[in-house]
Amino acid sequence: DVTLIAKTTHHLFQPMLYQVATGIIAEGEIAPATRVILRREKNIAVLLGDVYDVNLADKTVTSRLLERVTVTPYDSLIIAAGADQSYFGNDHFAEYAPGMKTIDHALELRGRILGAFEQAELSDDPEERAKLLTFVVVGAGPTGVELAGQIAEMSDKTLKGTFRNIDPTEARVILLDAAPAVLPPFGEKLGRKAAERLTKMGVEIQLNAMVVDVDYDGLVVKEKDGSTRRIESQCKVWSAGVQASPLGQQLAEQSGVELDRAGRVKVLPDLTIPDNPYVFVVGDMMAVDGVPGVAQGAIQGGRYAADAIKAGLRGQTQEQRKPFSYFDKGSMATIGAREAVADVRGIKLTGWLGDFIWCYVHVMFLIGWGNRFGTLYNWLRSLRYARFRGHRLISVTASYDKAVDPEK
């Protein structure tokens, strides 16, 4: 029997969260209900709860849902608790610059982005309007690049002509990073192509710029030479760095396994931890040389752990297991409509061909043909009609920044 414990009721395809945040697709298309996915698997029980304790000695997992505590025993355990945004010791930044790791994050960001335009429409103060129409994305990795491109495209095309007191095309989109290049893991050529495309779309790229403070009205940036400057902006998004689940620290304290700087578990070659041959750590929680923190690493690690457990039921010992081997299928990032960069096993692709590869790969990883066709329909319609983004609904409360201005 298999028991799945999770703090959400859905299975999330995280790489497409930014499209929910910018109104291209609906959240259900990338996050179908877990119980529906597994309804035909009669040996699988699904439990809703936030796992806060793993006891290796007693072989139990403890989870909480509201005030209800559930203790679940195990024979084999796969821990895939993921990671959250890292603010590098400045956790108070999260109040003003949320990350994008969950559906809740994406919906909150959609409210903040579209709500900024709504607030600007009501303002008669030019300085306040400028602040509201300045969007800052921190982190020039794939998530930051994709989100910055979509905000620029939405303000320039989708929202054009829909307001009476403001011109959405005048919105500023700023992409910040402390690194000297855009998309560093993709290499110099693809990073340069991405930067050129973003610049053409109107995104201001500011590199070698480290964020040292964030508040309701903006953020402070430290330049390479040590000087600082301030950017006035109400809508900020954080996509720089990750921090693994605190469950990793529990495993380290109980088993002696090492953690890396991001709190990820330095697993053994078979993705287990010392003296626990049937406790596997996969996904964003595992630290394995040569395995990037992307969906493919998580998928392959999960399959490896499941196969190892099944082999163990047939009598295979830990010593007989082959080490986990990661197959790199490439990296890719989309930059607005008809543009993407991709590195597929050494082959560099850009433009419409890169975008086609990106679309094909991502839509095939969605769960269910209904979600795949629905996503394709939304993509094709937004491609044909630049102003179409059918999922821009925000509530009244979501149209305002959730962060509270302490002076108001």
Side-chain angles (χ1 to χ4, degrees):
D1 293 331
V2 178
T3 301
L4 174 63
I5 309 173
K7 60 183 179 181
T8 66
T9 61
H10 56 263
H11 168 74
L12 175 62
F13 186 53
Q14 205 173 72
M16 288 172 61
L17 271 176
Y18 77 96
Q19 295 200 8
V20 173
T22 52
I24 298 175
I25 60 177
E27 58 270 25
E29 291 169 349
I30 64 167
T34 308
R35 292 187 182 278
V36 174
I37 298 171
L38 300 174
R39 65 188 182 280
R40 293 189 177 91
E41 309 299 331
K42 302 304 181 182
N43 65 325
I44 299 180
V46 179
L47 304 181
L48 180 62
D50 185 6
V51 173
Y52 66 90
D53 181 69
V54 176
N55 191 314
L56 298 178
D58 294 341
K59 290 190 172 184
T60 60
V61 172
T62 306
S63 58
R64 179 186 290 114
L65 176 61
L66 300 177
E67 299 302 317
R68 184 184 298 276
V69 174
T70 303
V71 179
T72 307
Y74 70 83
D75 297 310
S76 300
L77 178 64
I78 300 176
I79 305 176
D84 208 339
Q85 294 293 165
S86 172
Y87 291 88
F88 308 106
N90 299 289
D91 291 345
H92 60 286
F93 288 3
E95 184 178 4
Y96 307 106
M100 195 163 57
K101 291 290 184 182
T102 67
I103 284 292
D104 288 339
H105 288 158
L107 294 176
E108 178 184 348
L109 284 173
R110 188 166 76 191
R112 291 194 183 207
I113 294 167
L114 294 172
F117 288 100
E118 298 294 343
Q119 293 179 69
E121 174 79 352
L122 298 172
S123 175
D124 295 323
D125 183 347
E127 290 187 4
E128 184 184 30
R129 279 187 177 180
K131 179 182 70 176
L132 288 165
L133 295 179
T134 298
F135 302 88
V136 179
V137 180
V138 182
T143 299
V145 165
E146 291 172 337
L147 186 59
Q150 287 298 333
I151 295 174
E153 191 170 81
M154 181 167 60
S155 62
D156 190 50
K157 296 179 180 179
T158 308
L159 301 180
K160 183 178 180 180
T162 60
F163 292 88
R164 299 297 173 260
N165 298 322
I166 62 171
D167 182 359
T169 65
E170 295 179 356
R172 291 179 68 197
V173 181
I174 301 172
L175 181 63
L176 289 175
D177 203 300
V182 172
L183 296 176
F186 285 61
E188 182 180 353
K189 179 181 177 181
L190 293 182
R192 185 175 64 253
K193 287 284 188 181
E196 291 173 354
R197 174 59 180 166
L198 287 171
T199 301
K200 187 177 180 180
M201 296 173 68
V203 177
E204 300 176 31
I205 300 174
Q206 301 179 14
L207 302 174
N208 295 308
M210 179 184 297
V211 176
V212 295
D213 194 20
V214 182
D215 58 36
Y216 180 86
D217 290 311
L219 66 170
V220 178
V221 175
K222 183 178 181 180
E223 303 286 7
K224 193 176 182 180
D225 61 7
S227 63
T228 60
R229 57 186 171 86
R230 181 175 175 82
I231 301 174
E232 296 293 326
S233 168
Q234 182 171 298
C235 186
K236 291 85 63 180
V237 185
W238 194 274
S239 63
V242 296
Q243 181 68 34
S245 165
L247 292 178
Q249 183 62 44
Q250 291 188 25
L251 299 179
E253 292 171 355
Q254 296 180 58
S255 70
V257 68
E258 292 184 45
L259 305 180
D260 69 3
R261 293 176 59 185
R264 294 174 297 194
V265 179
K266 295 185 177 181
V267 292
L268 299 176
D270 63 350
L271 306 187
T272 62
I273 57 178
D275 301 320
N276 290 271
Y278 287 99
V279 176
F280 299 84
V281 180
V282 301
D284 286 339
M285 279 191 66
M286 72 177 186
V288 178
D289 290 340
V291 181
V294 296
Q296 269 304 311
I299 293 170
Q300 293 179 35
R303 287 175 176 168
Y304 173 90
D307 289 342
I309 290 172
K310 290 190 292 183
L313 294 175
R314 295 192 297 268
Q316 185 187 71
T317 65
Q318 184 179 24
E319 291 73 21
Q320 294 173 318
R321 290 177 192 159
K322 294 182 179 179
F324 171 69
S325 178
Y326 174 66
F327 179 73
D328 187 359
K329 296 184 178 180
S331 302
M332 53 192 70
T334 183
I335 313 159
R338 304 185 184 90
E339 291 284 342
V341 293
D343 182 350
V344 184
R345 300 190 61 78
I347 301 174
K348 314 291 185 181
L349 302 172
T350 61
W352 69 267
L353 183 57
D355 188 51
F356 176 80
I357 297 296
W358 184 95
C359 290
Y360 175 79
V361 169
H362 283 72
V363 79
M364 291 308 296
F365 276 115
L366 296 179
I367 302 293
W369 284 104
N371 290 328
R372 292 169 185 157
F373 284 127
T375 299
L376 280 173
Y377 170 77
N378 286 319
W379 283 350
L380 291 171
R381 191 168 178 184
S382 64
L383 188 66
R384 176 64 180 85
Y385 305 103
R387 295 187 179 183
F388 178 80
R389 289 175 188 252
H391 302 281
R392 288 184 283 141
L393 174 68
I394 60 174
S395 67
V396 174
T397 53
S399 66
Y400 297 94
D401 195 332
K402 284 189 177 180
V404 177
D405 184 350
E407 296 181 359
K408 296 183 179 180

